[in-house]
Amino acid sequence: MAKGSATIYDVAEVACVSIATVSRVLNDSANVRADTRDRVHAAIKQLHFVPSTAARSLSGGRRGAIGLAYPLDEERTVATPSREDDASVLYTDAIIRGASWQASQLGYSLFACAVRIGGNNDAHPLHQLSSAVDGIILTDRVVNNVKAMRIAKRMHAVHLSGSGSSRFGGTIRVDNSGGISALVRHLADVHGTRNFGFVGGIPDSPDATARFDAVVSSVTEVGGRLDPENVLVGDFSLARAEAAIEERLRHDTSLPDVFVCANDQMALGVVRVLRDNGHHVPDKILVTGFDDIPVAGQIYPTLTTVTQPSFELGVAAVNMVIGLLDGEVAVGAIEILPTTLVVRGSCGCPIERSPR
Amino acid sequence: MAKGSATIYDVAEVACVSIATVSRVLNDSANVRADTRDRVHAAIKQLHFVPSTAARSLSGGRRGAIGLAYPLDEERTVATPSREDDASVLYTDAIIRGASWQASQLGYSLFACAVRIGGNNDAHPLHQLSSAVDGIILTDRVVNNVKAMRIAKRMHAVHLSGSGSSRFGGTIRVDNSGGISALVRHLADVHGTRNFGFVGGIPDSPDATARFDAVVSSVTEVGGRLDPENVLVGDFSLARAEAAIEERLRHDTSLPDVFVCANDQMALGVVRVLRDNGHHVPDKILVTGFDDIPVAGQIYPTLTTVTQPSFELGVAAVNMVIGLLDGEVAVGAIEILPTTLVVRGSCGCPIERSPR
DNA sequence: ACTTACATTGTAAGCACTTTCAGAGACGGT
DNA sequence: ACCGTCTCTGAAAGTGCTTACAATGTAAGT
């Protein structure tokens, strides 16, 4: 970096000690006499000295920074995202905000870096990032990347992932199954639902599969059924979900009691298509979402869904990386954050007026 | 980073060349025979070698990354920000997305780092960031930071700011005056407005003053007037704008034809207060905003405003940093991005139905 | 065949730190 | 006064890369 900034040698000279001593003060190792330490600190302040992260990391020390890699939107996203379609962006942003906040609290810096998930170029941002930080946080879709695996094997990493776990680092996930289970129980207990349908997300997304699995087991648990023709495949997008439900309607009009959707965007599409085809929600059929995006409480019918603690996810991830770094968290640790059922109108519950 | 990853020595050994040659291939400097180059590339691929950014940057080479520093929200922001109040968050996110996208296009990585703007601790994230990247982008509020100044003096930096220009790097700003001018002309030409009013932002905000100055000169240009009692002082917040307009209403009810507001949030407040006091917008009086926040097109009346190209701001910033790095952009350069008038209902134009 | 210029490659000196190892005081016990 | 034991400090060896400089090889010109 910086041309002409002070080095450890300059500090050593001013403080009349060796660079080794300066280094000790910097890493506040024990065994430096108090007045020596003070002298060094004074010199540091005087010279506005800041240790070079590059050199520090080359020689094996800590960088004091942790990285967070999230998927880069391939297309050139518009400046002000439409509110419905950009829930995933908001979700990621919330995680980043949480992570930044917690890192800052703990005296670390948080570098967030968007990585092109398909990319295979050699100067991969993931590598750049990993060599600039002490530990790394990988969000859902980034995890399934060969490069990511290699990196995780080599440095402390925590995966923010819906399923599976990392043999090489820690894993934090949101309690998809608990949320789904609460949702299904609510549907069964309060609304007497028995015949379930499901609109899934991208098959290779761990969150998507976790939610699907949870639906399967919860439905079994409450003694309901989930017929194969009522399991639709989406990709988390509103458009794809609309297409899927339209397709479903063409084939057979005897519908399940409810369509549980793997996220809110898809639920919005499903509601719209159903209504356009005369299946009023929630009078004729129920629909639920997942995520609790901002619009979920604003549309008609308000959407029954499950909230994820995205900010807390970021906080927890930072805590775990640092724990890993300090050896206080064991490799392979898994932490699961609670989700909360948010009951609104689309499951047939009476609709509250929104506060404003 | 990484324990046990291949080094340049390993590659050199496999390819039967010296490390210098490997380095030349890596930085594709000329003067390496074709078959030697191939041999090295093969070795690199075989060993999954990735050069250590730390070592590379230590020895003066490029890191291949650029940094972006933005202000950290001091309070623990909630996961899903309220839609009206968090325009600034969305704005920053859009810039980051633009910068990430462009950096990726150009083969760079973009590290975004939130910095506590008041913070004065020594392990300042700004330093960490700056030593991990080749150049740095500083957003508005980060610029006015002593540390930031010191860093800008020492490494290539571009400032995203309405404020003056950086003597040490480049500056990119949005064309406040062009946007205001187009807006004022529209009001004068299409709606015959002559008697203007203005609700300003924080007096010490460069954007606020730029917008005010632009209003003054544009109004003069179209032969309109801007009476002192119709120039209200806000602080960019909805609440403060409501207070200001209420105050104005108490004193004198002969209002101007329009209130041009320095941002959308204030416009929302002004519209609300005016309507509550019987001055219907746009029938009795017109109101315009600035920024085009997401709600602007969703409320009634839809808000006539000016769009800032936030995504493009990020793109331009990355281009400029890299230009600075490559010596193709001169230090002290200023680039001004165009703004676009968005005509909607609150200026009296017919309200289009939104597409859905 | 013998310069000469030039293309290619190797050698080695940094770059700014951390850390091991060993040496130098200090201090109490004998 | 001497020895063992601490505590503190310095010298020096990495850490992985870039690059100036030197050395070698190669082809063209005489």
Side-chain angles (χ1 to χ4, degrees):
Chain A
M1 70 164 235
K3 348 141 197 183
S5 42
T7 74
I8 201 174
Y9 292 93
D10 302 325
V11 175
E13 195 174 329
V14 170
C16 300
V17 294
S18 73
I19 59 165
T21 302
V22 177
S23 178
R24 286 190 192 99
V25 173
L26 252 29
N27 301 286
D28 45 39
S29 86
N31 298 342
V32 176
R33 215 194 306 144
D35 64 310
T36 311
R37 186 195 314 278
D38 292 346
R39 215 148 17 96
V40 171
H41 274 139
I44 288 174
K45 189 150 289 176
Q46 179 191 328
L47 296 170
H48 298 304
F49 167 75
V50 180
S52 145
T53 353
R56 173 171 272 184
S57 78
L58 217 208
S59 65
R62 287 252 182 119
R63 292 154 202 71
I66 92 160
L68 187 157
Y70 61 98
L72 173 74
D73 298 320
E74 289 295 339
E75 348 91 62
R76 192 164 165 137
T77 320
V78 285
T80 48
S82 82
R83 292 180 291 134
E84 278 179 7
D85 291 340
D86 243 326
S88 70
V89 168
L90 288 175
Y91 180 66
T92 303
D93 286 343
I95 293 177
I96 293 176
R97 235 171 294 140
S100 297
W101 191 84
Q102 183 66 3
S104 165
Q105 292 293 308
L106 268 38
Y108 278 77
S109 307
L110 192 285
F111 299 163
C113 181
V115 314
R116 174 168 284 151
I117 49 177
N120 233 344
N121 53 346
D122 287 319
H124 202 281
L126 221 39
H127 280 123
Q128 317 259 27
L129 220 210
S130 69
S131 74
V133 300
D134 295 322
I136 198 164
I137 299 170
L138 305 167
T139 66
D140 196 34
R141 284 151 65 210
V142 177
V143 172
N144 291 330
N145 180 301
V146 192
K147 290 253 165 59
M149 289 307 294
R150 264 209 282 282
I151 283 173
K153 232 180 292 186
R154 293 192 163 147
M155 85 185 304
H156 292 296
V158 357
H159 293 192
L160 258 35
S161 164
S163 68
S165 64
S166 163
R167 283 181 299 136
F168 307 114
T171 304
I172 298 187
R173 99 171 95 255
V174 137
D175 186 14
N176 284 302
S177 99
I180 290 284
S181 157
L183 181 65
V184 168
R185 264 201 310 275
H186 173 85
L187 288 166
D189 296 352
V190 177
H191 304 287
T193 310
R194 283 295 170 272
N195 188 0
F196 288 80
F198 180 70
V199 184
I202 313 174
D204 70 352
S205 154
D207 274 323
T209 59
R211 288 171 200 173
F212 176 63
D213 294 347
V215 167
V216 171
S217 63
S218 305
V219 165
T220 310
E221 205 171 278
V222 299
R225 63 199 178 91
L226 177 66
D227 299 337
E229 71 266 27
N230 293 330
V231 175
L232 312 185
V233 180
D235 64 354
F236 283 136
S237 80
L238 189 146
R240 188 76 188 68
E242 289 186 341
I245 187 76
E246 271 164 3
E247 169 83 6
R248 171 66 183 75
L249 288 176
R250 261 198 300 281
H251 284 317
D252 171 12
T253 49
S254 112
L255 296 175
D257 302 328
V258 64
F259 271 113
V260 173
C261 303
N263 77 347
D264 285 350
Q265 277 111 309
M266 296 199 297
L268 297 180
V270 169
V271 166
R272 181 144 72 204
V273 169
L274 285 172
R275 188 181 47 210
D276 289 355
N277 288 63
H279 304 278
H280 187 269
V281 179
D283 298 344
K284 297 276 182 60
I285 183 169
L286 310 180
V287 172
T288 66
F290 204 106
D291 284 350
D292 195 23
I293 61 178
V295 263
Q298 316 274 346
I299 54 161
Y300 176 80
T302 53
L303 201 60
T304 289
T305 185
V306 175
T307 304
Q308 303 198 42
S310 23
F311 189 95
E312 280 69 26
L313 213 48
V315 171
V318 165
N319 286 336
M320 187 176 276
V321 176
I322 295 178
L324 243 20
L325 251 37
D326 293 341
E328 288 162 3
V329 170
V331 168
I334 298 186
E335 185 176 340
I336 298 178
L337 264 40
T339 49
T340 318
L341 176 62
V342 180
V343 175
R344 295 209 186 89
S346 70
C347 66
C349 282
I351 300 180
E352 284 175 42
R353 282 297 302 151
S354 77
R356 56 153 94 205
Chain B
M1 71 162 229
K3 343 136 200 185
S5 46
T7 74
I8 201 174
Y9 292 94
D10 303 325
V11 175
E13 195 173 328
V14 170
C16 299
V17 294
S18 74
I19 59 164
T21 301
V22 176
S23 177
R24 286 188 193 101
V25 172
L26 251 31
N27 301 285
D28 46 36
S29 90
N31 300 341
V32 176
R33 217 194 305 147
D35 65 308
T36 311
R37 188 194 314 278
D38 292 345
R39 212 149 18 98
V40 172
H41 273 139
I44 288 175
K45 190 149 289 175
Q46 179 192 328
L47 297 171
H48 297 303
F49 167 75
V50 181
S52 144
T53 352
R56 174 172 272 185
S57 79
L58 218 207
S59 65
R62 288 256 180 111
R63 294 154 200 70
I66 92 161
L68 189 157
Y70 62 97
L72 173 75
D73 298 321
E74 290 296 338
E75 347 92 62
R76 192 165 165 135
T77 319
V78 287
T80 50
S82 84
R83 292 180 292 134
E84 274 179 10
D85 292 340
D86 243 329
S88 71
V89 168
L90 289 175
Y91 181 65
T92 302
D93 287 343
I95 293 176
I96 293 175
R97 235 170 294 139
S100 297
W101 190 84
Q102 182 67 1
S104 166
Q105 291 294 308
L106 268 38
Y108 278 76
S109 308
L110 192 284
F111 299 164
C113 181
V115 315
R116 174 168 283 151
I117 50 177
N120 233 345
N121 52 347
D122 287 319
H124 201 282
L126 221 38
H127 280 124
Q128 317 258 27
L129 220 209
S130 69
S131 72
V133 300
D134 295 321
I136 199 165
I137 299 170
L138 305 167
T139 66
D140 199 31
R141 283 153 66 210
V142 177
V143 172
N144 292 331
N145 180 300
V146 192
K147 290 253 165 57
M149 290 307 294
R150 264 209 281 281
I151 284 172
K153 234 181 290 191
R154 292 194 164 143
M155 83 184 307
H156 292 296
V158 356
H159 293 193
L160 256 36
S161 163
S163 85
S165 62
S166 162
R167 282 181 299 133
F168 307 115
T171 305
I172 298 187
R173 102 171 91 256
V174 137
D175 185 14
N176 286 302
S177 100
I180 291 285
S181 160
L183 179 66
V184 168
R185 266 201 309 276
H186 172 85
L187 289 166
D189 296 352
V190 178
H191 304 287
T193 310
R194 284 295 170 272
N195 189 2
F196 289 79
F198 180 71
V199 184
I202 312 173
D204 69 353
S205 153
D207 275 325
T209 61
R211 288 171 201 174
F212 176 62
D213 294 347
V215 167
V216 171
S217 62
S218 305
V219 165
T220 310
E221 205 171 276
V222 299
R225 63 201 178 88
L226 177 67
D227 298 338
E229 71 266 27
N230 293 329
V231 175
L232 311 185
V233 180
D235 64 354
F236 283 136
S237 80
L238 190 146
R240 188 73 188 69
E242 288 186 340
I245 187 76
E246 269 163 3
E247 169 83 6
R248 172 65 181 76
L249 288 176
R250 261 198 300 282
H251 284 317
D252 171 12
T253 49
S254 111
L255 297 175
D257 302 328
V258 64
F259 271 113
V260 172
C261 302
N263 77 347
D264 285 349
Q265 275 111 314
M266 296 200 298
L268 297 181
V270 169
V271 166
R272 182 142 70 201
V273 169
L274 285 173
R275 189 181 47 212
D276 289 355
N277 288 66
H279 304 277
H280 187 268
V281 179
D283 298 344
K284 297 279 183 58
I285 185 170
L286 311 180
V287 172
T288 64
F290 204 105
D291 284 349
D292 196 22
I293 60 177
V295 262
Q298 316 274 345
I299 54 161
Y300 176 81
T302 52
L303 201 59
T304 291
T305 185
V306 174
T307 304
Q308 301 199 43
S310 22
F311 189 94
E312 281 68 27
L313 215 48
V315 172
V318 165
N319 286 336
M320 187 176 276
V321 177
I322 295 180
L324 243 21
L325 251 38
D326 293 341
E328 289 162 1
V329 170
V331 168
I334 298 186
E335 184 175 340
I336 299 178
L337 263 41
T339 48
T340 317
L341 176 62
V342 180
V343 175
R344 295 208 187 88
S346 71
C347 67
C349 281
I351 300 179
E352 282 175 45
R353 282 298 301 150
S354 76
R356 50 158 92 220

